[in-house]
Amino acid sequence: MAEPLRRRLPLLPLLPLLLLAAGGLRAAERSGGSSSAMEELATEKEAEESHRQDSVSLLTFILLLTLTILTIWLFKHRRVRFLHETGLAMIYGLIVGVILRYGTPSTSGHDKPFSCSQEDRPFTTLLVNVSGKFFEYTLKGEISPGKIHNVEQNDMLRKVTFDPEVFFNILLPPIIFHAGYSLKKRHFFRNLGSILAYAFLGTAVSCFIIGNLMYGVVKLMKLVGQLSDKFYYTDCLLFGAIISATDPVTVLAIFNELHADVDLYALLFGESVLNDAVAIVLSSSIVAYQPTGENTHAFDAAAFFKSVGVFLGIFSGSFMMGAVTGVVTALVTKFTKLHCFPLLETALFFLMSWSTFLLAEACGFTGVVAVLFCGITQAHYTYNNLSVESRSRTKQLFEVLHFLAENFIFSYMGLALFTFQKHIFSPVFIIGAFVAIFLGRAAHIYPLSFLLNLGRRHKISWSFQHMMMFSGLRGAMAFALAIRDTATYSHQMMFSTTLLIVFFTVWIVGGGTTPMLSWLNIRVGVDPDQDPPPTNDSFQVLQGDGQDSAQRNRTKQESAWLFRLWYSFDHNYLKPILTHSGPPLTTTLPSWCGLIARCLTSPQVYDNQEQLREEDSDFILNDGDLTVTYGDTTITANGSSGPHTATTNLDSRRTKSSSEEALERDLGAADHEVTSRGTRLVFPLEYNA
């Protein structure tokens, strides 16, 4: 027994060491667990701090909007017109930007550059292994080597700097949709030809003039040594497209408040609505310009025509997508009984309208164009199928969203002047941009107005042209297009210059609108539902069917023949199919389509048709139907008279096609009746090209 005991005794001195080692292992485990718990706690605190900063940043913008609304009320109460609500929002944004920039300390300083020499391109998402734990990082943009140590270290300023996609996917859709949904068809279609000319041809002219002038400015900057990086000709054209997007929201608001001339309002409003759509498609076409060969920025005929094809394809595709979405919504609201549930009806209308923008963007088209024409289609068809509650709700809903989104963008503009970290201000470029914009606007307005006046019965006066020249403000669309891509040196300079141009036009030009109206002697206080006073060309002489009378009649019909042709098709076929209004399809389709006509015609159409027949006394007359009634004697335009002529004219009036009747009713272009001592004169109203 002694021998085994001796063999075990040498192990006894090792027991304390073994116990100490085991205790050390347990202590190490406790230390590792404690360290992991501390890391998790720190991560939770960072997440909580980030959430708090997100709340503060959103609260900042809400307080800005609240302060803007209260100040707007004060300005309206005091009848202050020298500063519009958008300019006020920009001022408040500037003040908050100064406070955030210079009044809040830096809260983090942990940024450390790492070199990845093995990679030749940046990655959108990066996974970094830190002590066995993987962390995800996303790409925010390129930083020049000279500014590597000037990266923003203030977490609050980072939070209030929004992703540009927020402007396009959230803030722009309600603004553009409201423009189409609230469109006043009467004055818009009366000046449709001029509006299309200004929006399409004028915007293209302005874009190329500004782009070429700015290319000369860039060459001058390179000559004097003020250009520190590349600035291509295509960049100049892109700047021309961005800055050609006009947004005279300040001028239009003052026009609406003062009830300025309705035709001038229609020209400016129509141009600005379609101009935004053209500008964004034009910028997309310029970005798509890719010449073949080594020099990718030189002129190439094939690439140019490809860009033109891209422009036409994007615009037409976006237009069709917006119109189709509006038609689908109209069909759903017609053939279902959603009108029994106004809340569901309003929700569906809202979602279908907003999804148009996202659907177009997802398909490679332009959401701005799609949602604009979706709004016009919804107002023309779907609105007639909505219940009374939903009509009021949709109007108010998009009006409120438009107001909040627009003022939010202008507040952010003021904030971005101090929170954006990549500003490049060049005095030569800024001055050249102002001169180029002035010349581009002049080449846009005056030559086109001269050409349009050659075919218009009611001319665009010099005072109107000067006011349109003065009203070429830049706003939300130009800002959104400029901030969407600020990765390169040229785009950063373009964004900073665009921001200053928006400030100047909103504050200076917008504030000078009322004095300019007075100086140009443009009439104000006009009822928007009242037509311009008739001139010598607005009515026919009540004497025989002479050659001059026939010529004027042909001029009237030719000036609007395309629109009247479309409206005839729309009223007889599309409206009865898509809405509860218009003539029954059983009366407009051939007899062999009777089954389809009865299926597609709703019972309400017959009720509406009976109501329309009771209102036949308000029809607009053709030039040949012009009469003067005095006592029991009626004198017609062809010179005949007699006690029974009135009955004959009434019958001829009733034979007038229902599409022409609806055209006059929908556009609100009722006849002017002048009554004096028992005499009733009816003057037909002209339509402008």
Side-chain angles (χ1 to χ4, degrees):
M1 295 292 299
E3 185 66 26
L5 182 61
R6 283 194 302 268
R7 291 178 180 175
R8 291 193 193 102
L9 286 178
L11 297 177
L12 293 178
L14 298 177
L15 288 178
L17 296 177
L18 294 175
L19 293 176
L20 183 61
L25 289 174
R26 287 193 295 269
E29 291 178 357
R30 287 195 300 269
S31 176
S34 176
S35 175
S36 178
M38 291 295 293
E39 290 180 359
E40 292 179 358
L41 183 61
T43 303
E44 291 178 359
K45 287 185 176 180
E46 289 181 1
E48 183 179 354
E49 180 67 17
S50 177
H51 173 73
R52 186 186 67 82
Q53 291 176 353
D54 288 335
S55 302
V56 172
S57 63
L58 292 177
L59 178 62
T60 301
F61 285 103
I62 291 177
L63 292 178
L64 276 174
L65 292 176
T66 304
L67 186 60
T68 302
I69 291 173
L70 294 176
T71 313
I72 290 171
W73 168 82
L74 181 62
F75 277 25
K76 290 184 178 295
H77 181 68
R78 299 293 182 181
R79 298 184 181 276
V80 177
R81 296 192 180 97
F82 67 88
L83 185 62
H84 186 250
E85 59 198 44
T86 54
L88 192 64
M90 293 172 71
I91 291 177
Y92 287 147
L94 282 171
I95 295 174
V96 174
V98 171
I99 294 174
L100 291 177
R101 165 56 58 191
Y102 301 106
T104 56
S106 299
T107 54
S108 64
H110 307 295
D111 292 340
K112 181 179 179 180
F114 290 92
S115 298
C116 297
S117 57
Q118 297 179 355
E119 305 297 336
D120 56 353
R121 62 182 182 87
F123 293 95
T124 304
T125 304
L126 193 64
L127 296 178
V128 178
N129 186 349
V130 180
S131 301
K133 294 183 178 181
F134 289 89
F135 297 89
E136 181 182 1
Y137 295 85
T138 57
L139 178 67
K140 295 193 65 175
E142 182 183 1
I143 301 175
S144 60
K147 296 184 178 181
I148 191 66
H149 299 292
N150 297 330
V151 178
E152 181 56 59
Q153 300 296 325
N154 192 321
D155 288 339
M156 189 61 194
L157 289 181
R158 286 181 174 179
K159 293 294 184 181
V160 298
T161 304
F162 285 95
D163 189 334
E165 294 303 318
V166 172
F167 293 96
F168 264 81
N169 296 331
I170 297 179
L171 298 179
L172 275 185
I175 295 176
I176 304 300
F177 181 86
H178 178 264
Y181 194 54
S182 62
L183 184 69
K184 295 181 179 180
K185 295 183 292 182
R186 176 186 183 185
H187 305 296
F188 180 84
F189 287 111
R190 175 181 295 165
N191 298 276
L192 182 61
S194 301
I195 290 172
L196 291 176
Y198 285 128
F200 284 87
L201 186 59
T203 304
V205 169
S206 176
C207 169
F208 283 99
I209 288 180
I210 294 175
N212 284 278
L213 291 176
M214 293 311 299
Y215 188 64
V217 172
V218 168
K219 288 294 185 181
L220 177 63
M221 294 173 60
K222 186 176 181 180
L223 187 63
V224 298
Q226 292 194 9
L227 195 66
S228 58
D229 209 336
K230 297 178 181 179
F231 209 120
Y232 299 107
Y233 177 67
T234 51
D235 295 327
C236 297
L237 287 180
L238 179 62
F239 178 73
I242 290 173
I243 212 64
S244 294
T246 60
D247 186 17
V249 57
T250 305
V251 176
L252 292 176
I254 295 175
F255 279 10
N256 190 43
E257 184 178 353
L258 296 177
H259 299 292
D261 189 282
V262 289
D263 282 330
L264 177 60
Y265 182 92
L267 288 172
L268 275 175
F269 178 78
E271 181 207 358
S272 65
V273 167
L274 295 178
N275 165 273
D276 289 345
V278 174
I280 191 171
V281 179
L282 197 59
S283 62
S284 300
S285 303
I286 294 172
V287 172
Y289 177 80
Q290 295 179 349
T292 58
E294 297 181 357
N295 191 353
T296 58
H297 295 274
F299 177 78
D300 184 83
F304 172 77
F305 287 109
K306 180 182 177 181
S307 296
V308 173
V310 169
F311 175 86
L312 297 176
I314 291 178
F315 196 93
S316 58
S318 303
F319 165 77
M320 290 300 299
M321 187 166 291
V324 168
T325 307
V327 167
V328 170
T329 309
L331 289 173
V332 171
T333 54
K334 177 185 177 180
F335 291 104
T336 62
K337 292 188 177 181
L338 276 174
H339 62 273
C340 299
F341 306 94
L343 179 61
L344 300 180
E345 191 178 36
T346 304
L348 178 67
F349 183 93
F350 173 79
L351 293 176
M352 290 293 290
S353 303
W354 201 305
S355 63
T356 304
F357 184 94
L358 301 177
L359 179 62
E361 292 289 333
C363 294
F365 297 110
T366 299
V368 171
V369 179
V371 79
L372 170 63
F373 287 100
C374 176
I376 296 175
T377 308
Q378 301 275 46
H380 189 60
Y381 297 115
T382 312
Y383 184 81
N384 298 317
N385 300 335
L386 300 178
S387 61
V388 177
E389 295 88 346
S390 295
R391 291 182 182 183
S392 176
R393 286 177 178 177
T394 54
K395 286 280 188 183
Q396 294 175 359
L397 173 64
F398 281 100
E399 187 175 3
V400 170
L401 290 177
H402 163 264
F403 173 82
L404 293 177
E406 192 169 59
N407 282 278
F408 184 95
I409 290 179
F410 279 95
S411 298
Y412 187 79
M413 287 184 197
L415 201 69
L417 187 63
F418 293 96
T419 59
F420 186 72
Q421 288 299 297
K422 303 175 183 178
H423 280 306
I424 299 177
F425 295 103
S426 172
V428 177
F429 191 86
I430 294 171
I431 295 174
F434 275 99
V435 174
I437 289 172
F438 178 83
L439 296 178
R441 185 69 178 174
H444 172 178
I445 296 297
Y446 294 114
L448 275 181
S449 300
F450 172 77
L451 295 175
L452 290 171
N453 281 336
L454 297 178
R456 285 178 61 103
R457 297 296 300 275
H458 293 279
K459 311 299 183 185
I460 303 175
S461 63
W462 281 106
S463 59
F464 279 21
Q465 296 179 41
H466 295 329
M467 194 67 215
M468 294 180 68
M469 170 71 189
F470 179 80
S471 303
L473 285 76
R474 271 64 179 177
M477 180 56 69
F479 173 79
L481 287 174
I483 200 175
R484 199 173 191 181
D485 183 7
T486 56
T488 62
Y489 169 84
S490 59
H491 289 191
Q492 293 166 10
M493 184 182 295
M494 286 156 50
F495 171 71
S496 302
T497 306
T498 301
L499 202 58
L500 294 182
I501 291 172
V502 173
F503 286 163
F504 177 84
T505 55
V506 170
W507 288 338
I508 305 302
V509 178
T513 301
T514 304
M516 183 63 69
L517 285 173
S518 301
W519 185 64
L520 294 175
N521 295 321
I522 295 176
R523 60 179 188 148
V524 295
V526 180
D527 184 0
D529 295 326
Q530 178 184 358
D531 292 308
T535 62
N536 293 333
D537 294 333
S538 302
F539 57 90
Q540 311 295 334
V541 181
L542 300 182
Q543 295 177 356
D545 290 334
Q547 181 178 1
D548 187 46
S549 176
Q551 179 64 30
R552 279 194 289 265
N553 186 26
R554 286 195 302 270
T555 302
K556 174 185 177 180
Q557 298 298 328
E558 290 172 359
S559 64
W561 72 270
L562 182 60
F563 176 64
R564 287 181 177 273
L565 181 64
W566 153 253
Y567 205 94
S568 176
F569 174 78
D570 174 67
H571 177 74
N572 291 331
Y573 303 106
L574 292 183
K575 271 206 168 182
I577 294 175
L578 301 177
T579 69
H580 300 301
S581 60
L585 289 173
T586 53
T587 62
T588 57
L589 288 177
S591 57
W592 54 271
C593 297
L595 179 61
I596 298 177
R598 285 191 295 272
C599 293
L600 296 178
T601 303
S602 62
Q604 293 90 330
V605 170
Y606 297 97
D607 299 335
N608 295 336
Q609 186 70 11
E610 293 298 328
Q611 296 175 3
L612 294 179
R613 289 176 181 174
E614 296 175 359
E615 300 172 356
D616 284 354
S617 58
D618 294 331
F619 290 169
I620 283 185
L621 305 181
N622 292 326
D623 296 335
D625 296 327
L626 192 60
T627 63
V628 177
T629 303
Y630 186 78
D632 295 332
T633 303
T634 302
I635 304 174
T636 64
N638 57 15
S640 62
S641 63
H644 302 291
T645 310
T647 303
T648 303
N649 274 336
L650 182 59
D651 293 337
S652 65
R653 285 163 58 185
R654 286 178 177 172
T655 61
K656 188 176 181 181
S657 67
S658 60
S659 61
E660 292 183 358
E661 299 159 9
L663 169 61
E664 307 296 359
R665 268 195 309 272
D666 285 357
L667 297 184
D671 293 334
H672 291 276
E673 299 181 0
V674 182
T675 304
S676 176
R677 292 195 298 180
T679 302
R680 183 172 180 268
L681 303 179
V682 183
F683 300 108
L685 181 67
E686 298 291 342
Y687 289 97
N688 295 336

